[in-house]
Amino acid sequence: MLELDAQGVRKRFGDVVALDGFDLQIAAGEIVGLVGHNGAGKTTFVEIVAGLTRPDAGTVLVDGHDAASRSVRVRQRVGLAPQEISLYLPLTVRENLRLFAGLAGLRGRRQRAAIAETSAALGLSEVLDRQVGYLSGGQRRRAQAATAMVHRPRLLLLDEPTAGADPGTRRALLQLVRQCADEGTAV
């Protein structure tokens, strides 16, 4: 089953063509990396899949649902760790994870268990109650990834997840990505 099916995706910003008929299919359990020069359209594509940007043409289906609809069904199926850190710096790691888990529909015991499991896998247990603004760069990168993974999405989008990450952060993140794929997440 395809978790992501993008056909003929086009996006232009004024005179700049970011995507020109891009196609990509990713099945459950697959890990796919998009490689290209700066400005090649990788981040634009991620934003379209996540429903943050509308394509000018083409279709993007997430688990059979139209990403452009920005529906709850799509949002619950997608986990996004954007290129730039987008956490609430005055909040603790735990508070950020609660927020993102809640947005994905996790509540109560399920939410607490998911936060504990994800933070342990990414080496964040010791800093769960620390404000994000006081974390190191690597810890912020792991916390960012944790917000995307905490609800175990069907499709995980990581935009340069290891940029600026130390070897330990990179190893922990890639190990959890493999685990997610083994459990059926398309990455």
Side-chain angles (χ1 to χ4, degrees):
M1 171 166 194
L2 288 179
E3 294 301 332
L4 175 63
D5 186 10
Q7 299 289 324
V9 179
R10 298 181 192 284
K11 184 66 182 177
R12 137 186 316 267
F13 299 97
D15 293 337
V16 177
V17 176
L19 295 167
D20 190 16
F22 185 72
D23 298 332
L24 180 66
Q25 292 77 41
I26 305 175
E30 282 188 309
I31 299 172
V32 174
L34 296 178
V35 179
H37 60 83
N38 292 339
K42 301 178 301 291
T43 296
T44 298
F45 180 70
V46 166
E47 291 173 352
I48 289 171
V49 173
L52 300 173
T53 300
R54 290 190 185 271
D56 297 331
T59 60
V60 177
L61 302 177
V62 175
D63 194 23
H65 301 278
D66 184 4
S69 72
R70 301 178 183 178
S71 74
V72 171
R73 289 181 181 191
V74 172
R75 286 194 309 268
Q76 289 176 337
R77 287 168 169 75
V78 174
L80 170 63
Q83 188 174 30
E84 300 298 324
I85 299 295
S86 61
L87 300 170
Y88 293 96
L89 302 183
L91 299 181
T92 66
V93 173
R94 185 185 312 273
E95 290 166 333
N96 272 278
L97 290 173
R98 278 185 192 146
L99 172 65
F100 284 89
L103 290 172
L106 289 180
R107 305 276 187 271
R109 269 187 238 152
R110 285 182 54 224
Q111 185 185 87
R112 288 188 297 277
I115 289 170
E117 181 182 326
T118 305
S119 60
L122 288 171
L124 292 167
S125 299
E126 300 295 318
V127 297
L128 269 176
D129 296 311
R130 188 176 299 164
Q131 285 181 319
V132 171
Y134 294 112
L135 298 179
S136 71
Q139 290 168 328
R140 286 183 191 189
R141 183 65 61 193
R142 283 184 272 155
Q144 178 75 60
T147 63
M149 297 176 172
V150 69
H151 67 292
R152 289 294 195 247
R154 300 293 308 147
L155 175 63
L156 179 60
L157 304 170
L158 305 170
D159 194 354
E160 298 196 27
T162 60
D166 60 62
T169 295
R170 184 177 187 281
R171 188 172 31 261
L173 180 58
L174 294 178
Q175 184 176 354
L176 187 55
V177 165
R178 284 186 199 100
Q179 179 184 336
C180 288
D182 290 344
E183 294 169 0
T185 298
V187 182

